[in-house]
Amino acid sequence: MPNPSNISEPIARTLLEVAPDALILISDDGRVQDANTRAEAMFGFLPGGLRGEQVNNLVPERLRDRNPLSPSLGERAPVPSVEHFGLRRDGTEFPIEVSLGEICREGQRFVAAIVRDATASRRTAATLRATENQFRLTFEAAPIGMALVGLDGRFLSVNKALCEIVGYSAAELTGLTFQAITHPDDLDTDLALADQLRRGEIPRYELGKRYIHKDGSIVHVVLTGTVVRDASGAPLHFIAQVEDVTEQIRTEETKRLSEQQVRDLIDQTPDGIFIADLEGRYTDVNPAACRLLGYAREELIGKTIVDLIPASDVPRLWEVQKRLLQPGQADVGEWTLRCKDGSLVPVEVSASILADGRWQAFVRDITERKRAELELRRGAEELQRAQQVAHLGSWEWDLRTHRVTRSPELFRIYGLPPGTEGSLPWAWEGLVHPGDRPGLHRVVEEAVRTGEPYAVEYRIHRPDGVERVLLQQGERQDESGQLARMVGTILDITELRRAEREREESRRWMQAVLDQSPVALIRVIGANGERVELNARAEELLGRNLERVAQYAEMVLTAEGRPLARTDLPSMRALRGERIHRQEYLVRTAAGDTLPVLAGAAPIRDNAGQVQGAVVAFEDISHLKELERLRAEWNSVIAHDLRQPISAIGLHAHLMKKFVGDTQAQNHLASIRSSARRLNRMIDDLLDLSRLEANRLTLERRPTNMEALARATAHDVSLQAPGRAIEVRAHGAVPEVEVDPDRMAQVLENLLTNAVKYGEPATPIHVDLAARGPLFSVAVRNRGHGISADQQNKLFRRFQRMGGFGNAGPEGIGLGLYITRALVEAHGGSLTLESTPGATTTFCATMPIHAEPARPATEPPGPTTG
């Protein structure tokens, strides 16, 4: 300030008024001696009103002990640019900057103060600091990797997330280039896009690529690259955003494998599995279900449960549905299903309703169980890619002024227009789910109190009605030991949580299928069978749980009881790519017992077709083995204990005929001999039935002249039915056929005997022989009452008998056509029936001219419908 002693008073006053800052002259007693108009306006005084005012009244009371305007400061060296607060006359505070000096005037000492209002500069500095803090927080706290990369590919700055993705520290990364850690197969594409970006040909690029982790492993990422340019447009450096999608890729692969495993388990299960919606319309069935009812899968899909059950069972179905709709309910019951060919099959159904509202039913054919003669028939969501770039909103809450700054992305996350005020500094409370509000408040308030960083997850209901799940992170920032601000980020994690729920639902669905399956299932994990998992039925069957293939290998023997090499286990064969279908083994239980089982196995493959594991299904056939033993004992009774007295009866009747001359007695003896022959024929049929169902029927095939065989058989039958005409007709050349001639004579005899029995006595029976390509056919046709469609469905079943012509009583035990059809099928052929009521009936046996390989011994006998 100019020395007033050297400058005239008018000039000094002019200089005082034109100064750009407030100027105050303070006397030793702390009063304002003089001040310019700018100083009076700054402190809220009228012109001249500041003179004589105590300078302590120009600063807040709490700061008066260190008032920079105090004259005592003049005793010290001038303090330039001291930052302080001023107090206006109306009581408001404002930031000031003060520069002090000392002058003497007419022998009196004064302090000269230059005062500047710092409100605008401090606001600018605060805004700049907030922007820098937001960028730093967004960069450092971002859940995705971020980096500033030089034009030569060198990392200039990296955040914590990127370091965690690639396993390097920040110091290590800044000494590397992105080329050094990029997978070689992805580098050319990355460099080409980066060059296009640098030259301005593209504004940004996004690339799925692989990094090489510090430990050598592969990391899958989605890279988004942009470039920063100077005012002239020249590129300065790249900005890289890196999202780690390794876990999503692994999760998708795991989910796909899980779904494939479930599909393989379902397809391997010998019981029929039906999945239907709540309206009862089938949405999925397994192969066993198709085989059970005779439909193709495409034919069953879309049908309803009601389509397959008798009308009388429909009310019971609705009652079961009501019961199953109650939580935790299941139903096991016996039902009757209608097959494609119209026949009815009794089944046992284990039904429940899944969590997603669909019917689930395990269906087992119990025809053979009811008759106690045959074995039981048994049987048993993906993540989309994560968001390409994280949607991250940031906010800053000034704890002193309660002023809040929010990034534009935050408004989009909440579904609000930019600029919308929030009821809370960190959120819009009205949109937060009521159940999550208390927890959100508690976490944020605790962070404000303790200064510890926090992370909290909560739900919101946006104005458009959409519910989103958010992850909020924040931390407190202090200045000079005083509360200053809270800064944080909000990330939309809705899709991540939805994907987790879908994975959990998929896992629970698969577990429900495994837990409810009545079939023993073993899952072998790893291409080398490192580990095994069992369902509840498998644990029950084996008497213990297993963890390693070695334990399982010790328990499996051949059907004859010999140890089985590990390489020959069903699971190990499946791991080599084989599919095993119903082969017989013995299983040693934990109690030391051995159980006969039928086993099936299949490999589990990944997307590339590589075997990743196997699934094995075991079916306990102990009861069937017991039936086989009882059947063998019964065969012995038939073969020995019954044949002997019957033979004796026939022999004695023959001898008595020589000594009895009475005609009536002769007729009675003839009747006895005829009855004995019928009993022998019944025994033969029962023995054949036993051999067929035990799969022990053997054929002695040899080239056979079928025309000669047919004529010889027709001649023998005509002797038993005098007066019936049987005509054998060959259509073209009849080749020799590789058959068992005795069994084929049995087939022809059964068909001709039926034609004699059921045809009109006055009409001839025709036997037509023909060869067509590799097949040979023999057809037996007669005229008579015919066979209705309902009777045709039952005709080939066991013990089915029909009255003869003229309603004569049935002879035999109803096994003839059943055995005939089985013998034809054993030759690799088929037996068909065409009948027109009141006209003709034709049975046609068709078989290959040359013998086909025999069926595996583990397959059940062919004719299972009669």
Side-chain angles (χ1 to χ4, degrees):
M1 179 178 290
N3 189 340
S5 60
N6 299 325
I7 302 174
S8 65
E9 185 67 25
I11 295 175
R13 169 55 56 185
T14 300
L15 290 174
L16 196 67
E17 290 301 331
V18 298
D21 298 317
L23 300 178
I24 302 175
L25 196 64
I26 306 167
S27 61
D28 286 340
D29 59 359
R31 292 185 180 277
V32 176
Q33 180 70 22
D34 200 356
N36 65 357
T37 303
R38 192 174 299 278
E40 291 170 336
M42 180 181 296
F43 286 93
F45 287 87
L46 296 173
L50 192 55
R51 290 190 182 91
E53 188 72 28
Q54 282 285 346
V55 292
N56 276 344
N57 294 335
L58 301 183
V59 297
E61 185 175 354
R62 68 181 185 281
L63 302 177
R64 287 173 183 172
D65 58 340
R66 44 193 173 92
N67 188 347
L69 301 177
S70 173
S72 61
L73 290 180
E75 299 173 1
R76 303 191 300 270
V79 181
S81 302
V82 173
E83 187 177 280
H84 217 289
F85 285 90
L87 181 69
R88 293 190 179 90
R89 191 174 186 184
D90 61 5
T92 59
E93 296 182 13
F94 64 100
I96 59 175
E97 295 176 358
V98 180
S99 297
L100 299 177
E102 182 178 335
I103 63 174
C104 292
R105 186 179 183 183
E106 297 177 357
Q108 187 176 356
R109 174 179 167 277
F110 295 93
V111 172
I114 300 176
V115 183
R116 179 172 296 166
D117 187 339
T119 301
S121 62
R122 288 195 186 181
R123 183 181 297 117
T124 300
T127 300
L128 179 61
R129 187 168 54 254
T131 301
E132 291 173 348
N133 283 335
Q134 284 186 2
F135 175 77
R136 182 189 62 80
L137 182 63
T138 301
F139 187 84
E140 292 296 336
I144 63 172
M146 299 185 71
L148 302 181
V149 183
L151 298 179
D152 59 355
R154 183 170 53 87
F155 288 104
L156 305 177
S157 179
V158 296
N159 70 348
K160 180 180 178 182
L162 182 59
C163 294
E164 292 174 348
I165 289 172
V166 297
Y168 291 94
S169 67
E172 290 172 327
L173 267 184
T174 51
L176 296 172
T177 64
F178 76 83
Q179 294 94 323
I181 64 171
T182 296
H183 192 285
D185 293 344
D186 299 338
L187 184 57
D188 289 344
T189 301
D190 201 355
L191 288 173
L193 289 171
D195 192 48
Q196 288 181 281
L197 185 64
R198 180 183 58 78
R199 295 198 303 267
E201 296 175 2
I202 55 175
R204 62 191 295 273
Y205 72 89
E206 186 174 285
L207 173 67
K209 61 177 287 186
R210 290 162 290 179
Y211 281 133
I212 301 175
H213 195 275
K214 184 179 179 180
D215 62 10
S217 61
I218 301 300
V219 182
H220 294 265
V221 302
V222 173
L223 168 68
T224 301
T226 55
V227 67
V228 177
R229 301 180 183 276
D230 61 16
S232 67
L236 297 176
H237 55 261
F238 298 111
I239 296 178
Q241 293 177 295
V242 179
E243 182 180 4
D244 186 351
V245 296
T246 305
E247 191 58 35
Q248 288 101 324
I249 290 176
R250 290 175 181 166
T251 299
E252 290 171 0
E253 178 65 11
T254 299
K255 179 180 178 182
R256 193 205 64 75
L257 286 175
S258 297
E259 291 172 348
Q260 181 62 40
Q261 290 165 2
V262 172
R263 186 74 257 173
D264 287 343
L265 288 175
I266 291 175
D267 288 347
Q268 280 292 311
T269 301
D271 281 355
I273 296 180
F274 295 79
I275 305 295
D277 57 28
L278 270 182
E279 296 179 354
R281 192 171 303 281
Y282 292 121
T283 59
D284 196 10
V285 293
N286 72 341
C290 298
R291 291 194 298 270
L292 175 67
L293 300 180
Y295 286 97
R297 184 177 184 274
E298 295 73 17
E299 294 174 317
L300 273 178
I301 299 300
K303 286 188 177 292
T304 66
I305 301 173
V306 174
D307 294 334
L308 301 181
I309 63 174
S312 58
D313 281 347
V314 173
R316 180 161 71 104
L317 177 68
W318 303 139
E319 291 299 321
V320 169
Q321 183 188 30
K322 290 179 183 178
R323 184 164 64 254
L324 291 179
L325 286 173
Q326 302 302 316
Q329 294 296 311
D331 182 80
V332 179
E334 293 185 3
W335 296 79
T336 301
L337 297 183
R338 184 179 294 106
C339 299
K340 182 179 180 180
D341 62 7
S343 61
L344 299 178
V345 56
V347 294
E348 181 180 77
V349 179
S350 174
S352 61
I353 292 184
L354 300 172
D356 60 6
R358 295 179 296 165
W359 287 78
Q360 171 185 265
F362 290 87
V363 180
R364 182 179 305 156
D365 184 351
I366 58 173
T367 303
E368 307 309 325
R369 187 184 75 184
K370 283 180 170 289
R371 295 172 181 166
E373 296 173 355
L374 278 182
E375 62 189 280
L376 295 173
R377 292 189 177 182
R378 313 186 65 179
E381 135 153 249
E382 21 191 291
L383 280 183
Q384 297 181 349
R385 284 187 56 197
Q387 295 178 345
Q388 296 179 347
V389 178
H391 296 295
L392 186 68
S394 64
W395 52 267
E396 179 180 330
W397 171 26
D398 191 318
L399 296 173
R400 297 167 300 186
T401 65
H402 296 290
R403 184 172 179 270
V404 181
T405 303
R406 300 180 177 90
S407 68
E409 184 67 15
L410 199 60
F411 294 94
R412 190 202 64 77
I413 291 174
Y414 274 85
L416 295 170
T420 304
E421 290 296 326
S423 54
L424 293 175
W426 63 87
W428 287 270
E429 183 176 30
L431 303 183
V432 177
H433 192 287
D436 295 344
R437 290 176 192 170
L440 177 60
H441 288 197
R442 183 172 58 255
V443 169
V444 176
E445 290 167 0
E446 181 71 10
V448 173
R449 184 180 65 82
T450 64
E452 293 294 324
Y454 73 91
V456 60
E457 186 177 318
Y458 59 94
R459 296 162 292 173
I460 64 169
H461 287 287
R462 301 195 324 185
D464 58 8
V466 175
E467 181 178 283
R468 308 298 290 177
V469 182
L470 308 182
L471 174 64
Q472 183 177 137
Q473 296 177 323
E475 62 179 345
R476 193 183 78 189
Q477 294 183 346
D478 300 340
E479 290 182 359
S480 303
Q482 301 293 320
L483 296 181
R485 66 186 62 80
M486 288 288 292
V487 292
T489 59
I490 293 178
L491 179 67
D492 187 340
I493 59 172
T494 307
E495 300 306 321
L496 175 63
R497 292 294 177 261
R498 180 180 294 120
E500 290 174 351
R501 287 195 302 272
E502 289 175 354
R503 288 197 299 271
E504 180 62 20
E505 289 171 3
S506 177
R507 187 196 65 79
R508 285 198 300 267
W509 184 85
M510 181 181 72
Q511 194 61 46
V513 171
L514 292 175
D515 291 344
Q516 295 188 39
S517 173
V519 175
L521 299 172
I522 298 178
R523 176 188 173 201
V524 180
I525 301 171
N528 296 315
E530 293 85 357
R531 187 162 56 90
V532 296
E533 291 181 355
L534 281 68
N535 71 345
R537 176 57 182 143
E539 289 189 29
E540 177 186 349
L541 182 69
L542 301 179
R544 61 174 172 172
N545 197 356
L546 303 175
E547 295 180 354
R548 302 187 309 278
V549 171
Q551 296 173 306
Y552 151 61
E554 298 167 359
M555 306 179 71
V556 182
L557 308 172
T558 66
E560 294 76 23
R562 296 191 300 273
L564 194 66
R566 176 172 174 174
T567 54
D568 292 334
L569 289 171
S571 57
M572 301 308 290
R573 292 170 61 187
L575 289 176
R576 295 196 297 270
E578 293 185 53
R579 281 185 173 267
I580 315 301
H581 180 65
R582 297 173 66 81
Q583 292 192 2
E584 187 174 334
Y585 296 90
L586 290 178
V587 170
R588 183 184 294 116
T589 68
D593 302 325
T594 56
L595 293 176
V597 298
L598 286 181
I604 300 173
R605 302 179 184 272
D606 61 15
N607 279 337
Q610 298 299 314
V611 175
Q612 299 297 313
V615 59
V616 183
F618 282 125
E619 180 181 355
D620 182 0
I621 58 172
S622 302
H623 57 292
L624 299 180
K625 288 294 184 181
E626 178 62 17
L627 285 176
E628 187 176 321
R629 185 188 65 81
L630 294 175
R631 187 160 47 231
E633 293 180 0
W634 173 242
N635 292 344
S636 176
V637 171
I638 294 175
H640 182 270
D641 296 348
L642 291 182
R643 278 193 190 278
Q644 186 173 358
I646 291 171
S647 298
I649 292 171
L651 177 61
H652 287 296
H654 178 71
L655 292 174
M656 289 176 65
K657 187 175 181 182
K658 295 181 179 181
F659 301 103
V660 176
D662 182 78
T663 302
Q664 186 174 3
Q666 287 279 348
N667 291 337
H668 287 315
L669 290 173
S671 179
I672 291 173
R673 292 186 65 193
S674 176
S675 297
R677 285 194 299 271
R678 285 200 305 274
L679 283 174
N680 267 318
R681 183 57 181 272
M682 291 179 187
I683 292 171
D684 289 338
D685 286 348
L686 288 173
L687 288 174
D688 283 343
L689 174 66
S690 177
R691 294 187 189 99
L692 286 169
E693 295 186 342
N695 202 26
R696 293 179 177 173
L697 179 69
T698 58
L699 299 177
E700 297 181 5
R701 298 175 184 262
R702 59 178 179 269
T704 302
N705 186 329
M706 287 298 297
E707 183 176 357
L709 180 66
R711 295 188 184 281
T713 306
H715 175 72
D716 291 342
V717 172
S718 64
L719 293 178
Q720 301 172 26
R724 290 303 303 271
I726 302 177
E727 298 179 8
V728 178
R729 303 180 298 191
H731 300 273
V734 178
E736 288 190 333
V737 183
E738 293 181 17
V739 295
D740 184 324
D742 293 333
R743 291 299 185 183
M744 195 50 59
Q746 183 179 349
V747 168
L748 289 171
E749 183 180 353
N750 283 340
L751 295 179
L752 288 171
T753 303
N754 275 349
V756 170
K757 180 178 178 181
Y758 297 108
E760 294 178 357
T763 60
I765 299 170
H766 293 107
V767 180
D768 295 310
L769 308 174
R772 296 181 181 87
L775 300 178
F776 170 78
S777 66
V778 52
V780 177
R781 179 180 296 107
N782 68 277
R783 178 173 292 277
H785 290 312
I787 304 171
S788 67
D790 183 61
Q791 289 175 320
Q792 290 182 35
N793 291 330
K794 302 175 182 178
L795 194 60
F796 291 104
R797 296 183 181 180
R798 292 160 300 173
F799 310 114
Q800 294 294 321
R801 300 184 299 179
M802 299 171 58
F805 196 85
N807 296 321
E811 295 184 1
I813 55 176
L815 290 175
L817 286 176
Y818 176 80
I819 293 172
T820 299
R821 181 177 182 179
L823 290 174
V824 173
E825 290 180 349
H827 281 82
S830 62
L831 181 63
T832 59
L833 165 64
E834 292 182 4
S835 183
T836 303
T840 60
T841 297
T842 303
F843 288 88
C844 182
T846 302
M847 65 202 71
I849 296 174
H850 299 288
E852 296 179 344
R855 294 180 177 178
T858 53
E859 290 191 3
T864 58
T865 58

